[in-house]
Amino acid sequence: MTQTPHDIPLPRELPLFPLNGVLLLPRGDLPLNVFEPRYRALVDAALEGGRTIGILQPAAEGASGLSARNGTNLYRTGCAGRIRAFEETEDGRYLIQLRGLCRFDIVEELEMRDGFRRARANYTPYLADLETADIAGIDRDRLISGMKGYFDARNLAANWDALAETSDERLITTLAMVCPFDPAEKQVLLESPDIAQRCKLLIGIFEAAMHDAGGNISVN
């Protein structure tokens, strides 16, 4: 275990759950429906240990990543999440709820266990994820405006009243995780150095998408 200043244990050896187009961020919540035998075994192993799973994406074609015997490359940066709740269904699936803890870089891949991949993780570059986020410099008005245009163009629904009451960090984290961005965009959002930079990236993605769609962005 890596013992952090906040007494949050982070396992050095981390089971890996690769999910294309899925993003977990620190303090974000990710529900998962786990049905493949190897990933049910992964959940079993996590529950017996520190309840921690590494979520990361298969690397995009041409991207530098972690190779494997089966030919599937993984991005080297992911996010560790702790199982906060789980339920086993009658048909043998696991329904789990992950809370993002801290990002990590893969140092080396370990031998597979029960069909799932494992790696030695380095959290040191990202220990600030465990601190209260610094949200200085957030342009919330521009973010909301871009989001509305993006959602309207894609016929996506949102509870705007609830969003108005959502904190800046929670809003940015939720948008980055749930919006249907492509995997490369998700990875850039994951690797952004802080919340403020992640907000700027979100605004850029929203406005670029609206520009491509011929829409207009306006800040009220």
Side-chain angles (χ1 to χ4, degrees), residues 2 10 18 43 48-49 53 68 82 89-90 99 105 141 146 161 175 194 206 209-210:
T2 296
L10 298 170
V43 172
E48 292 170 1
I53 295 172
R82 188 173 191 276
T89 66
E90 291 185 359
R99 167 59 63 90
D105 291 331
D141 288 342
D161 291 336
L175 288 175
D194 52 39
F206 287 149
M210 286 302 298

Side-chain angles (χ1 to χ4, degrees), residues 2 11-14 104-108 119-124:
T2 296
R12 291 189 180 92
E13 295 184 4
L14 196 61
F104 65 87
D105 291 331
I106 292 176
V107 177
E108 63 174 334
R120 198 177 313 280
N122 176 27
Y123 306 92
T124 302

